[in-house]
Amino acid sequence: MTLNAQTYWAEHAWLGGVVEPGVLITTSGSGRVTAVEPGVPGPPVGAVSLRGLTLPGLANAHSHAFHRALRSVAQVGGGTFWTWRTGMYETAALLTPDTYYALARAVYAEMALAGITCVGEFHYVHHGRGGTRYGDPNAMAEALIAAAGAAGIRITLLDTCYLAAGFGERPEGAQLRFSDGTAEAWAERADALRPTVTARLGAAIHSVRAVPADALATVARFATDRGLPLHLHLSEQPRENEDCLRAHGRTPTALLADHGALGPRTTAVHATHLTDADIALLGRSSTATCLCPTTERDLADGIGPAGSLRAAGSPLCLGSDSHAVIDLLAEARGVEHHERLRSRVRGHFTAGQLLRAASEDGHAALGWPEAGRLEPGGLADFTTVALDSVRTAGPPPRLALEAAVFAATAADVRHTVVGGLHIVRDGDHQLVHDVPHALRTAMAALRATR
């Protein structure tokens, strides 16, 4: 993802927590920002004009790309997270490296249209049907990395250890595709993956349900020894807590702490049903929390303690998880809105704090600390939100950030730049020219394999 040096002129840009008018952003052929100059009244000759509010690129810190195939389909009937999971397993059973590449490419292109410049893919569909290994044991992971590159965004491939169907239960059905048998075998396979210019690697513990206690330390050491981010699902459902207490006499958070899985490189996803002691453990260890409000609502998970986690010292980031929608602006305001519902008081998070969760802190959780800020030396990854749509028109320029975070949607994203390359221009993806068609085609191909 390199090109000749390019200059962009942003009508407004969010710099260091302040909205500035007329900002010139110069990028290098290596995909970095070389200069940021506010106060430029109009676009100089040769500069690409970005009308609206330009923000650092958004980081989707938690994605399961194949869940996109469940959108709308999963709305038929009621049930719980556990009944939804049955349909998810049925979809996972259909994937091949080729169909997963096509679907993920379309999903990642949809993310680019939503202003997302980097995705954390929590990847656990490793093997063929029945658990049969592909000739390349990492064929599915490589398909995801290639798909992100083809869609023009960065990826952190969070290779996920998944060994059990529950506490003391062997995997079965679609879960056989997820398991390497042992944590050591998982580590050997995952260690064969290699990063690229636009793809970095991480590790993941699916959950304390899916990774036995005696294997947790193996995964944690794998990430620590290689300096990789470590992500994990945590206490998404009360049943997980109840089963863990029954099996170990500990909450999932305490069990993870016992085995060295918490810390500043770790991100706990959801963290919905926590005790006060759990929150304190996450905060003291500087473990980040990835909140996925649209999924947590869609799956009837519950409302996570975002304010308490932040107060305890856990940095917050955001993900679209099951892709009920792909809209990081909706995820950001969802954090504030959930706190309002819980407390019946408004104003827990400012627009700036929510945007940092969606950009800088999300990139940090994914192992891209040089992204998420518009400053010299940083990655030239940014996105522009329209300020003249029916959702955003009207507020004065000084409230442009509030308009973007609390009113705009993914449909208001006009431009997305990754590594200095104009991936989305005036709302059109430049690499995947018809994203809806790509989504329809990929999902039809997936259904045809039933």
Side-chain angles (χ1 to χ4, degrees), residues 10-21 23 25 36 52-56 58 350-360 372-375 383 400-402 405:
E11 183 180 24
H12 302 277
W14 191 61
L15 305 179
V18 177
V19 174
E20 299 279 5
V23 178
I25 305 168
V36 177
L53 174 63
T54 295
L55 308 170
L58 306 180
T350 67
Q353 289 168 334
L354 295 171
L355 184 60
R356 284 191 182 90
S359 54
E360 182 175 354
R373 298 177 303 281
L374 287 173
E375 63 184 28
T383 188
L401 188 67
E402 285 72 15
V405 172

PDB file of all heavy atoms in Angstrom, residues 10-21 23 25 36 52-56 58 350-360 372-375 383 400-402 405:
ATOM      1  N   ALA A  10      -8.351  19.101   4.199  1.00  0.00           N
ATOM      2  CA  ALA A  10      -9.569  18.785   4.939  1.00  0.00           C
ATOM      3  C   ALA A  10     -10.298  20.071   5.291  1.00  0.00           C
ATOM      4  O   ALA A  10      -9.701  20.990   5.885  1.00  0.00           O
ATOM      5  CB  ALA A  10      -9.223  18.013   6.199  1.00  0.00           C
ATOM      6  N   GLU A  11     -11.569  20.132   4.953  1.00  0.00           N
ATOM      7  CA  GLU A  11     -12.365  21.319   5.284  1.00  0.00           C
ATOM      8  C   GLU A  11     -12.353  21.547   6.800  1.00  0.00           C
ATOM      9  O   GLU A  11     -12.208  22.679   7.260  1.00  0.00           O
ATOM     10  CB  GLU A  11     -13.793  21.133   4.785  1.00  0.00           C
ATOM     11  CG  GLU A  11     -14.689  22.327   5.018  1.00  0.00           C
ATOM     12  CD  GLU A  11     -16.098  22.099   4.518  1.00  0.00           C
ATOM     13  OE1 GLU A  11     -16.531  20.923   4.410  1.00  0.00           O
ATOM     14  OE2 GLU A  11     -16.792  23.101   4.238  1.00  0.00           O
ATOM     15  N   HIS A  12     -12.478  20.477   7.554  1.00  0.00           N
ATOM     16  CA  HIS A  12     -12.327  20.477   9.008  1.00  0.00           C
ATOM     17  C   HIS A  12     -11.616  19.184   9.383  1.00  0.00           C
ATOM     18  O   HIS A  12     -11.806  18.154   8.737  1.00  0.00           O
ATOM     19  CB  HIS A  12     -13.680  20.541   9.731  1.00  0.00           C
ATOM     20  CG  HIS A  12     -14.519  21.731   9.389  1.00  0.00           C
ATOM     21  ND1 HIS A  12     -14.360  22.961   9.990  1.00  0.00           N
ATOM     22  CD2 HIS A  12     -15.523  21.880   8.492  1.00  0.00           C
ATOM     23  CE1 HIS A  12     -15.228  23.816   9.486  1.00  0.00           C
ATOM     24  NE2 HIS A  12     -15.951  23.181   8.580  1.00  0.00           N
ATOM     25  N   ALA A  13     -10.811  19.231  10.433  1.00  0.00           N
ATOM     26  CA  ALA A  13     -10.142  18.019  10.903  1.00  0.00           C
ATOM     27  C   ALA A  13     -10.026  18.055  12.411  1.00  0.00           C
ATOM     28  O   ALA A  13      -9.887  19.125  13.024  1.00  0.00           O
ATOM     29  CB  ALA A  13      -8.759  17.874  10.266  1.00  0.00           C
ATOM     30  N   TRP A  14     -10.069  16.880  13.011  1.00  0.00           N
ATOM     31  CA  TRP A  14      -9.949  16.744  14.467  1.00  0.00           C
ATOM     32  C   TRP A  14      -8.490  16.510  14.798  1.00  0.00           C
ATOM     33  O   TRP A  14      -7.941  15.445  14.509  1.00  0.00           O
ATOM     34  CB  TRP A  14     -10.825  15.584  14.940  1.00  0.00           C
ATOM     35  CG  TRP A  14     -10.999  15.490  16.424  1.00  0.00           C
ATOM     36  CD1 TRP A  14     -11.559  16.416  17.237  1.00  0.00           C
ATOM     37  CD2 TRP A  14     -10.645  14.386  17.255  1.00  0.00           C
ATOM     38  NE1 TRP A  14     -11.573  15.965  18.540  1.00  0.00           N
ATOM     39  CE2 TRP A  14     -11.026  14.721  18.586  1.00  0.00           C
ATOM     40  CE3 TRP A  14     -10.046  13.146  17.013  1.00  0.00           C
ATOM     41  CZ2 TRP A  14     -10.811  13.854  19.653  1.00  0.00           C
ATOM     42  CZ3 TRP A  14      -9.834  12.283  18.076  1.00  0.00           C
ATOM     43  CH2 TRP A  14     -10.212  12.633  19.386  1.00  0.00           C
ATOM     44  N   LEU A  15      -7.858  17.510  15.393  1.00  0.00           N
ATOM     45  CA  LEU A  15      -6.431  17.456  15.699  1.00  0.00           C
ATOM     46  C   LEU A  15      -6.217  17.668  17.193  1.00  0.00           C
ATOM     47  O   LEU A  15      -6.606  18.700  17.740  1.00  0.00           O
ATOM     48  CB  LEU A  15      -5.664  18.553  14.940  1.00  0.00           C
ATOM     49  CG  LEU A  15      -5.816  18.602  13.422  1.00  0.00           C
ATOM     50  CD1 LEU A  15      -5.001  19.775  12.869  1.00  0.00           C
ATOM     51  CD2 LEU A  15      -5.373  17.293  12.780  1.00  0.00           C
ATOM     52  N   GLY A  16      -5.620  16.697  17.835  1.00  0.00           N
ATOM     53  CA  GLY A  16      -5.296  16.852  19.251  1.00  0.00           C
ATOM     54  C   GLY A  16      -6.476  17.199  20.126  1.00  0.00           C
ATOM     55  O   GLY A  16      -6.347  17.949  21.100  1.00  0.00           O
ATOM     56  N   GLY A  17      -7.642  16.689  19.766  1.00  0.00           N
ATOM     57  CA  GLY A  17      -8.832  16.931  20.565  1.00  0.00           C
ATOM     58  C   GLY A  17      -9.607  18.174  20.198  1.00  0.00           C
ATOM     59  O   GLY A  17     -10.587  18.511  20.862  1.00  0.00           O
ATOM     60  N   VAL A  18      -9.188  18.879  19.145  1.00  0.00           N
ATOM     61  CA  VAL A  18      -9.839  20.128  18.731  1.00  0.00           C
ATOM     62  C   VAL A  18     -10.177  20.047  17.246  1.00  0.00           C
ATOM     63  O   VAL A  18      -9.374  19.567  16.443  1.00  0.00           O
ATOM     64  CB  VAL A  18      -8.925  21.342  18.991  1.00  0.00           C
ATOM     65  CG1 VAL A  18      -9.577  22.625  18.504  1.00  0.00           C
ATOM     66  CG2 VAL A  18      -8.572  21.440  20.473  1.00  0.00           C
ATOM     67  N   VAL A  19     -11.365  20.535  16.859  1.00  0.00           N
ATOM     68  CA  VAL A  19     -11.726  20.625  15.449  1.00  0.00           C
ATOM     69  C   VAL A  19     -11.116  21.898  14.867  1.00  0.00           C
ATOM     70  O   VAL A  19     -11.380  23.007  15.351  1.00  0.00           O
ATOM     71  CB  VAL A  19     -13.255  20.635  15.268  1.00  0.00           C
ATOM     72  CG1 VAL A  19     -13.617  20.885  13.803  1.00  0.00           C
ATOM     73  CG2 VAL A  19     -13.848  19.312  15.741  1.00  0.00           C
ATOM     74  N   GLU A  20     -10.268  21.725  13.861  1.00  0.00           N
ATOM     75  CA  GLU A  20      -9.596  22.848  13.199  1.00  0.00           C
ATOM     76  C   GLU A  20     -10.125  22.999  11.778  1.00  0.00           C
ATOM     77  O   GLU A  20     -10.350  22.003  11.087  1.00  0.00           O
ATOM     78  CB  GLU A  20      -8.085  22.609  13.136  1.00  0.00           C
ATOM     79  CG  GLU A  20      -7.404  22.472  14.484  1.00  0.00           C
ATOM     80  CD  GLU A  20      -7.123  23.817  15.134  1.00  0.00           C
ATOM     81  OE1 GLU A  20      -7.539  24.850  14.566  1.00  0.00           O
ATOM     82  OE2 GLU A  20      -6.504  23.829  16.206  1.00  0.00           O
ATOM     83  N   PRO A  21     -10.303  24.247  11.304  1.00  0.00           N
ATOM     84  CA  PRO A  21     -10.728  24.449   9.915  1.00  0.00           C
ATOM     85  C   PRO A  21      -9.521  24.450   8.978  1.00  0.00           C
ATOM     86  O   PRO A  21      -8.409  24.824   9.371  1.00  0.00           O
ATOM     87  CB  PRO A  21     -11.375  25.834   9.963  1.00  0.00           C
ATOM     88  CG  PRO A  21     -10.616  26.557  11.038  1.00  0.00           C
ATOM     89  CD  PRO A  21     -10.252  25.504  12.066  1.00  0.00           C
ATOM     90  N   VAL A  23      -7.367  22.189   7.044  1.00  0.00           N
ATOM     91  CA  VAL A  23      -6.152  21.481   7.458  1.00  0.00           C
ATOM     92  C   VAL A  23      -5.528  20.765   6.264  1.00  0.00           C
ATOM     93  O   VAL A  23      -6.178  19.966   5.586  1.00  0.00           O
ATOM     94  CB  VAL A  23      -6.451  20.465   8.578  1.00  0.00           C
ATOM     95  CG1 VAL A  23      -5.187  19.702   8.955  1.00  0.00           C
ATOM     96  CG2 VAL A  23      -7.026  21.192   9.794  1.00  0.00           C
ATOM     97  N   ILE A  25      -2.987  18.064   4.946  1.00  0.00           N
ATOM     98  CA  ILE A  25      -2.354  16.822   5.411  1.00  0.00           C
ATOM     99  C   ILE A  25      -1.499  16.282   4.274  1.00  0.00           C
ATOM    100  O   ILE A  25      -2.015  15.930   3.208  1.00  0.00           O
ATOM    101  CB  ILE A  25      -3.409  15.773   5.821  1.00  0.00           C
ATOM    102  CG1 ILE A  25      -4.367  16.340   6.871  1.00  0.00           C
ATOM    103  CG2 ILE A  25      -2.736  14.505   6.330  1.00  0.00           C
ATOM    104  CD1 ILE A  25      -5.590  15.481   7.106  1.00  0.00           C
ATOM    105  N   VAL A  36       1.149  18.271   8.963  1.00  0.00           N
ATOM    106  CA  VAL A  36      -0.242  18.641   9.226  1.00  0.00           C
ATOM    107  C   VAL A  36      -0.258  20.143   9.483  1.00  0.00           C
ATOM    108  O   VAL A  36       0.356  20.623  10.441  1.00  0.00           O
ATOM    109  CB  VAL A  36      -0.815  17.882  10.437  1.00  0.00           C
ATOM    110  CG1 VAL A  36      -2.237  18.348  10.727  1.00  0.00           C
ATOM    111  CG2 VAL A  36      -0.785  16.378  10.205  1.00  0.00           C
ATOM    112  N   GLY A  52     -16.061  18.155   4.709  1.00  0.00           N
ATOM    113  CA  GLY A  52     -16.656  17.534   5.881  1.00  0.00           C
ATOM    114  C   GLY A  52     -15.681  17.569   7.034  1.00  0.00           C
ATOM    115  O   GLY A  52     -14.822  18.463   7.115  1.00  0.00           O
ATOM    116  N   LEU A  53     -15.787  16.617   7.930  1.00  0.00           N
ATOM    117  CA  LEU A  53     -14.908  16.522   9.093  1.00  0.00           C
ATOM    118  C   LEU A  53     -14.005  15.304   8.943  1.00  0.00           C
ATOM    119  O   LEU A  53     -14.496  14.166   8.901  1.00  0.00           O
ATOM    120  CB  LEU A  53     -15.733  16.395  10.380  1.00  0.00           C
ATOM    121  CG  LEU A  53     -14.935  16.152  11.666  1.00  0.00           C
ATOM    122  CD1 LEU A  53     -13.997  17.329  11.966  1.00  0.00           C
ATOM    123  CD2 LEU A  53     -15.881  15.888  12.838  1.00  0.00           C
ATOM    124  N   THR A  54     -12.712  15.531   8.876  1.00  0.00           N
ATOM    125  CA  THR A  54     -11.751  14.439   8.733  1.00  0.00           C
ATOM    126  C   THR A  54     -11.270  14.001  10.109  1.00  0.00           C
ATOM    127  O   THR A  54     -10.863  14.819  10.939  1.00  0.00           O
ATOM    128  CB  THR A  54     -10.573  14.864   7.842  1.00  0.00           C
ATOM    129  OG1 THR A  54     -11.088  15.112   6.513  1.00  0.00           O
ATOM    130  CG2 THR A  54      -9.521  13.774   7.763  1.00  0.00           C
ATOM    131  N   LEU A  55     -11.336  12.695  10.319  1.00  0.00           N
ATOM    132  CA  LEU A  55     -10.992  12.070  11.597  1.00  0.00           C
ATOM    133  C   LEU A  55      -9.894  11.047  11.382  1.00  0.00           C
ATOM    134  O   LEU A  55      -9.704  10.553  10.269  1.00  0.00           O
ATOM    135  CB  LEU A  55     -12.227  11.342  12.171  1.00  0.00           C
ATOM    136  CG  LEU A  55     -13.521  12.131  12.274  1.00  0.00           C
ATOM    137  CD1 LEU A  55     -14.673  11.200  12.616  1.00  0.00           C
ATOM    138  CD2 LEU A  55     -13.380  13.227  13.331  1.00  0.00           C
ATOM    139  N   PRO A  56      -9.181  10.668  12.432  1.00  0.00           N
ATOM    140  CA  PRO A  56      -8.288   9.518  12.295  1.00  0.00           C
ATOM    141  C   PRO A  56      -9.098   8.295  11.856  1.00  0.00           C
ATOM    142  O   PRO A  56     -10.287   8.170  12.179  1.00  0.00           O
ATOM    143  CB  PRO A  56      -7.737   9.323  13.709  1.00  0.00           C
ATOM    144  CG  PRO A  56      -7.947  10.625  14.402  1.00  0.00           C
ATOM    145  CD  PRO A  56      -9.188  11.216  13.807  1.00  0.00           C
ATOM    146  N   LEU A  58     -10.841   4.789  11.722  1.00  0.00           N
ATOM    147  CA  LEU A  58     -11.500   4.066  12.801  1.00  0.00           C
ATOM    148  C   LEU A  58     -10.968   2.637  12.872  1.00  0.00           C
ATOM    149  O   LEU A  58     -10.677   2.020  11.849  1.00  0.00           O
ATOM    150  CB  LEU A  58     -13.012   4.060  12.588  1.00  0.00           C
ATOM    151  CG  LEU A  58     -13.655   5.443  12.396  1.00  0.00           C
ATOM    152  CD1 LEU A  58     -15.153   5.309  12.182  1.00  0.00           C
ATOM    153  CD2 LEU A  58     -13.348   6.372  13.565  1.00  0.00           C
ATOM    154  N   THR A 350     -17.604  12.166  26.630  1.00  0.00           N
ATOM    155  CA  THR A 350     -17.643  13.228  25.622  1.00  0.00           C
ATOM    156  C   THR A 350     -17.480  12.619  24.239  1.00  0.00           C
ATOM    157  O   THR A 350     -17.038  11.462  24.083  1.00  0.00           O
ATOM    158  CB  THR A 350     -16.516  14.238  25.851  1.00  0.00           C
ATOM    159  OG1 THR A 350     -15.252  13.586  25.610  1.00  0.00           O
ATOM    160  CG2 THR A 350     -16.550  14.803  27.270  1.00  0.00           C
ATOM    161  N   ALA A 351     -17.793  13.412  23.225  1.00  0.00           N
ATOM    162  CA  ALA A 351     -17.594  12.962  21.845  1.00  0.00           C
ATOM    163  C   ALA A 351     -16.129  12.616  21.604  1.00  0.00           C
ATOM    164  O   ALA A 351     -15.809  11.639  20.923  1.00  0.00           O
ATOM    165  CB  ALA A 351     -18.063  14.039  20.868  1.00  0.00           C
ATOM    166  N   GLY A 352     -15.223  13.413  22.167  1.00  0.00           N
ATOM    167  CA  GLY A 352     -13.794  13.146  21.988  1.00  0.00           C
ATOM    168  C   GLY A 352     -13.366  11.835  22.623  1.00  0.00           C
ATOM    169  O   GLY A 352     -12.567  11.085  22.053  1.00  0.00           O
ATOM    170  N   GLN A 353     -13.874  11.543  23.807  1.00  0.00           N
ATOM    171  CA  GLN A 353     -13.529  10.279  24.466  1.00  0.00           C
ATOM    172  C   GLN A 353     -14.044   9.084  23.669  1.00  0.00           C
ATOM    173  O   GLN A 353     -13.345   8.069  23.524  1.00  0.00           O
ATOM    174  CB  GLN A 353     -14.111  10.261  25.879  1.00  0.00           C
ATOM    175  CG  GLN A 353     -13.408  11.205  26.837  1.00  0.00           C
ATOM    176  CD  GLN A 353     -14.172  11.383  28.149  1.00  0.00           C
ATOM    177  OE1 GLN A 353     -15.399  11.227  28.208  1.00  0.00           O
ATOM    178  NE2 GLN A 353     -13.443  11.701  29.213  1.00  0.00           N
ATOM    179  N   LEU A 354     -15.240   9.208  23.126  1.00  0.00           N
ATOM    180  CA  LEU A 354     -15.801   8.116  22.337  1.00  0.00           C
ATOM    181  C   LEU A 354     -15.031   7.929  21.036  1.00  0.00           C
ATOM    182  O   LEU A 354     -14.794   6.796  20.604  1.00  0.00           O
ATOM    183  CB  LEU A 354     -17.280   8.383  22.056  1.00  0.00           C
ATOM    184  CG  LEU A 354     -18.186   8.388  23.291  1.00  0.00           C
ATOM    185  CD1 LEU A 354     -19.579   8.875  22.921  1.00  0.00           C
ATOM    186  CD2 LEU A 354     -18.246   7.011  23.932  1.00  0.00           C
ATOM    187  N   LEU A 355     -14.621   9.039  20.418  1.00  0.00           N
ATOM    188  CA  LEU A 355     -13.861   8.917  19.182  1.00  0.00           C
ATOM    189  C   LEU A 355     -12.489   8.299  19.436  1.00  0.00           C
ATOM    190  O   LEU A 355     -11.994   7.507  18.625  1.00  0.00           O
ATOM    191  CB  LEU A 355     -13.715  10.278  18.497  1.00  0.00           C
ATOM    192  CG  LEU A 355     -12.997  10.223  17.141  1.00  0.00           C
ATOM    193  CD1 LEU A 355     -13.752   9.330  16.175  1.00  0.00           C
ATOM    194  CD2 LEU A 355     -12.837  11.615  16.562  1.00  0.00           C
ATOM    195  N   ARG A 356     -11.860   8.624  20.542  1.00  0.00           N
ATOM    196  CA  ARG A 356     -10.570   8.003  20.868  1.00  0.00           C
ATOM    197  C   ARG A 356     -10.733   6.484  21.031  1.00  0.00           C
ATOM    198  O   ARG A 356      -9.873   5.710  20.611  1.00  0.00           O
ATOM    199  CB  ARG A 356      -9.980   8.611  22.132  1.00  0.00           C
ATOM    200  CG  ARG A 356      -9.383   9.996  21.914  1.00  0.00           C
ATOM    201  CD  ARG A 356      -8.565  10.474  23.102  1.00  0.00           C
ATOM    202  NE  ARG A 356      -8.050  11.811  22.858  1.00  0.00           N
ATOM    203  CZ  ARG A 356      -8.681  12.936  23.184  1.00  0.00           C
ATOM    204  NH1 ARG A 356      -9.869  12.872  23.802  1.00  0.00           N
ATOM    205  NH2 ARG A 356      -8.162  14.113  22.919  1.00  0.00           N
ATOM    206  N   ALA A 357     -11.837   6.066  21.641  1.00  0.00           N
ATOM    207  CA  ALA A 357     -12.095   4.630  21.759  1.00  0.00           C
ATOM    208  C   ALA A 357     -12.225   3.995  20.384  1.00  0.00           C
ATOM    209  O   ALA A 357     -11.758   2.861  20.158  1.00  0.00           O
ATOM    210  CB  ALA A 357     -13.363   4.392  22.581  1.00  0.00           C
ATOM    211  N   ALA A 358     -12.840   4.723  19.449  1.00  0.00           N
ATOM    212  CA  ALA A 358     -13.057   4.201  18.101  1.00  0.00           C
ATOM    213  C   ALA A 358     -11.834   4.311  17.207  1.00  0.00           C
ATOM    214  O   ALA A 358     -11.818   3.724  16.118  1.00  0.00           O
ATOM    215  CB  ALA A 358     -14.221   4.947  17.443  1.00  0.00           C
ATOM    216  N   SER A 359     -10.824   5.035  17.642  1.00  0.00           N
ATOM    217  CA  SER A 359      -9.659   5.238  16.766  1.00  0.00           C
ATOM    218  C   SER A 359      -8.360   4.906  17.491  1.00  0.00           C
ATOM    219  O   SER A 359      -7.845   3.783  17.397  1.00  0.00           O
ATOM    220  CB  SER A 359      -9.641   6.679  16.228  1.00  0.00           C
ATOM    221  OG  SER A 359      -9.714   7.642  17.284  1.00  0.00           O
ATOM    222  N   GLU A 360      -7.824   5.853  18.253  1.00  0.00           N
ATOM    223  CA  GLU A 360      -6.501   5.675  18.859  1.00  0.00           C
ATOM    224  C   GLU A 360      -6.430   4.455  19.770  1.00  0.00           C
ATOM    225  O   GLU A 360      -5.514   3.633  19.661  1.00  0.00           O
ATOM    226  CB  GLU A 360      -6.126   6.933  19.636  1.00  0.00           C
ATOM    227  CG  GLU A 360      -4.741   6.880  20.267  1.00  0.00           C
ATOM    228  CD  GLU A 360      -4.354   8.189  20.916  1.00  0.00           C
ATOM    229  OE1 GLU A 360      -5.102   9.185  20.789  1.00  0.00           O
ATOM    230  OE2 GLU A 360      -3.285   8.233  21.559  1.00  0.00           O
ATOM    231  N   GLY A 372      -4.254   6.101  14.431  1.00  0.00           N
ATOM    232  CA  GLY A 372      -5.324   6.631  15.272  1.00  0.00           C
ATOM    233  C   GLY A 372      -5.183   8.090  15.652  1.00  0.00           C
ATOM    234  O   GLY A 372      -6.001   8.602  16.419  1.00  0.00           O
ATOM    235  N   ARG A 373      -4.165   8.762  15.109  1.00  0.00           N
ATOM    236  CA  ARG A 373      -3.984  10.197  15.360  1.00  0.00           C
ATOM    237  C   ARG A 373      -3.537  10.858  14.064  1.00  0.00           C
ATOM    238  O   ARG A 373      -2.758  10.271  13.297  1.00  0.00           O
ATOM    239  CB  ARG A 373      -2.915  10.449  16.434  1.00  0.00           C
ATOM    240  CG  ARG A 373      -3.235   9.870  17.785  1.00  0.00           C
ATOM    241  CD  ARG A 373      -2.099  10.096  18.782  1.00  0.00           C
ATOM    242  NE  ARG A 373      -0.823   9.544  18.315  1.00  0.00           N
ATOM    243  CZ  ARG A 373      -0.491   8.248  18.370  1.00  0.00           C
ATOM    244  NH1 ARG A 373      -1.337   7.366  18.855  1.00  0.00           N
ATOM    245  NH2 ARG A 373       0.698   7.838  17.942  1.00  0.00           N
ATOM    246  N   LEU A 374      -3.994  12.079  13.829  1.00  0.00           N
ATOM    247  CA  LEU A 374      -3.553  12.845  12.664  1.00  0.00           C
ATOM    248  C   LEU A 374      -2.370  13.697  13.074  1.00  0.00           C
ATOM    249  O   LEU A 374      -2.526  14.812  13.571  1.00  0.00           O
ATOM    250  CB  LEU A 374      -4.700  13.716  12.135  1.00  0.00           C
ATOM    251  CG  LEU A 374      -5.819  12.982  11.399  1.00  0.00           C
ATOM    252  CD1 LEU A 374      -6.955  13.928  11.079  1.00  0.00           C
ATOM    253  CD2 LEU A 374      -5.287  12.341  10.111  1.00  0.00           C
ATOM    254  N   GLU A 375      -1.163  13.151  12.883  1.00  0.00           N
ATOM    255  CA  GLU A 375       0.046  13.865  13.280  1.00  0.00           C
ATOM    256  C   GLU A 375       1.222  13.382  12.453  1.00  0.00           C
ATOM    257  O   GLU A 375       1.219  12.236  11.964  1.00  0.00           O
ATOM    258  CB  GLU A 375       0.326  13.661  14.768  1.00  0.00           C
ATOM    259  CG  GLU A 375       0.597  12.217  15.155  1.00  0.00           C
ATOM    260  CD  GLU A 375       0.777  12.031  16.654  1.00  0.00           C
ATOM    261  OE1 GLU A 375       0.197  12.828  17.423  1.00  0.00           O
ATOM    262  OE2 GLU A 375       1.504  11.091  17.046  1.00  0.00           O
ATOM    263  N   THR A 383     -10.388   9.315   7.743  1.00  0.00           N
ATOM    264  CA  THR A 383     -11.705   9.211   7.112  1.00  0.00           C
ATOM    265  C   THR A 383     -12.439  10.527   7.264  1.00  0.00           C
ATOM    266  O   THR A 383     -12.189  11.280   8.220  1.00  0.00           O
ATOM    267  CB  THR A 383     -12.507   8.051   7.740  1.00  0.00           C
ATOM    268  OG1 THR A 383     -13.707   7.846   7.005  1.00  0.00           O
ATOM    269  CG2 THR A 383     -12.862   8.336   9.200  1.00  0.00           C
ATOM    270  N   ALA A 400     -18.902  20.191  15.257  1.00  0.00           N
ATOM    271  CA  ALA A 400     -18.788  19.196  14.187  1.00  0.00           C
ATOM    272  C   ALA A 400     -18.512  17.799  14.738  1.00  0.00           C
ATOM    273  O   ALA A 400     -19.040  16.804  14.231  1.00  0.00           O
ATOM    274  CB  ALA A 400     -17.685  19.603  13.206  1.00  0.00           C
ATOM    275  N   LEU A 401     -17.688  17.708  15.777  1.00  0.00           N
ATOM    276  CA  LEU A 401     -17.376  16.392  16.331  1.00  0.00           C
ATOM    277  C   LEU A 401     -18.609  15.769  16.974  1.00  0.00           C
ATOM    278  O   LEU A 401     -18.877  14.570  16.817  1.00  0.00           O
ATOM    279  CB  LEU A 401     -16.238  16.492  17.349  1.00  0.00           C
ATOM    280  CG  LEU A 401     -15.714  15.130  17.830  1.00  0.00           C
ATOM    281  CD1 LEU A 401     -15.038  14.385  16.704  1.00  0.00           C
ATOM    282  CD2 LEU A 401     -14.762  15.300  19.002  1.00  0.00           C
ATOM    283  N   GLU A 402     -19.378  16.574  17.698  1.00  0.00           N
ATOM    284  CA  GLU A 402     -20.610  16.073  18.304  1.00  0.00           C
ATOM    285  C   GLU A 402     -21.586  15.606  17.223  1.00  0.00           C
ATOM    286  O   GLU A 402     -22.275  14.587  17.404  1.00  0.00           O
ATOM    287  CB  GLU A 402     -21.251  17.146  19.182  1.00  0.00           C
ATOM    288  CG  GLU A 402     -20.552  17.367  20.515  1.00  0.00           C
ATOM    289  CD  GLU A 402     -19.202  18.078  20.399  1.00  0.00           C
ATOM    290  OE1 GLU A 402     -18.920  18.662  19.338  1.00  0.00           O
ATOM    291  OE2 GLU A 402     -18.450  18.051  21.384  1.00  0.00           O
ATOM    292  N   VAL A 405     -20.203  12.155  15.958  1.00  0.00           N
ATOM    293  CA  VAL A 405     -20.271  11.033  16.903  1.00  0.00           C
ATOM    294  C   VAL A 405     -21.704  10.729  17.319  1.00  0.00           C
ATOM    295  O   VAL A 405     -22.079   9.556  17.453  1.00  0.00           O
ATOM    296  CB  VAL A 405     -19.389  11.318  18.135  1.00  0.00           C
ATOM    297  CG1 VAL A 405     -19.596  10.259  19.213  1.00  0.00           C
ATOM    298  CG2 VAL A 405     -17.921  11.379  17.731  1.00  0.00           C
TER     299      VAL A 405
END
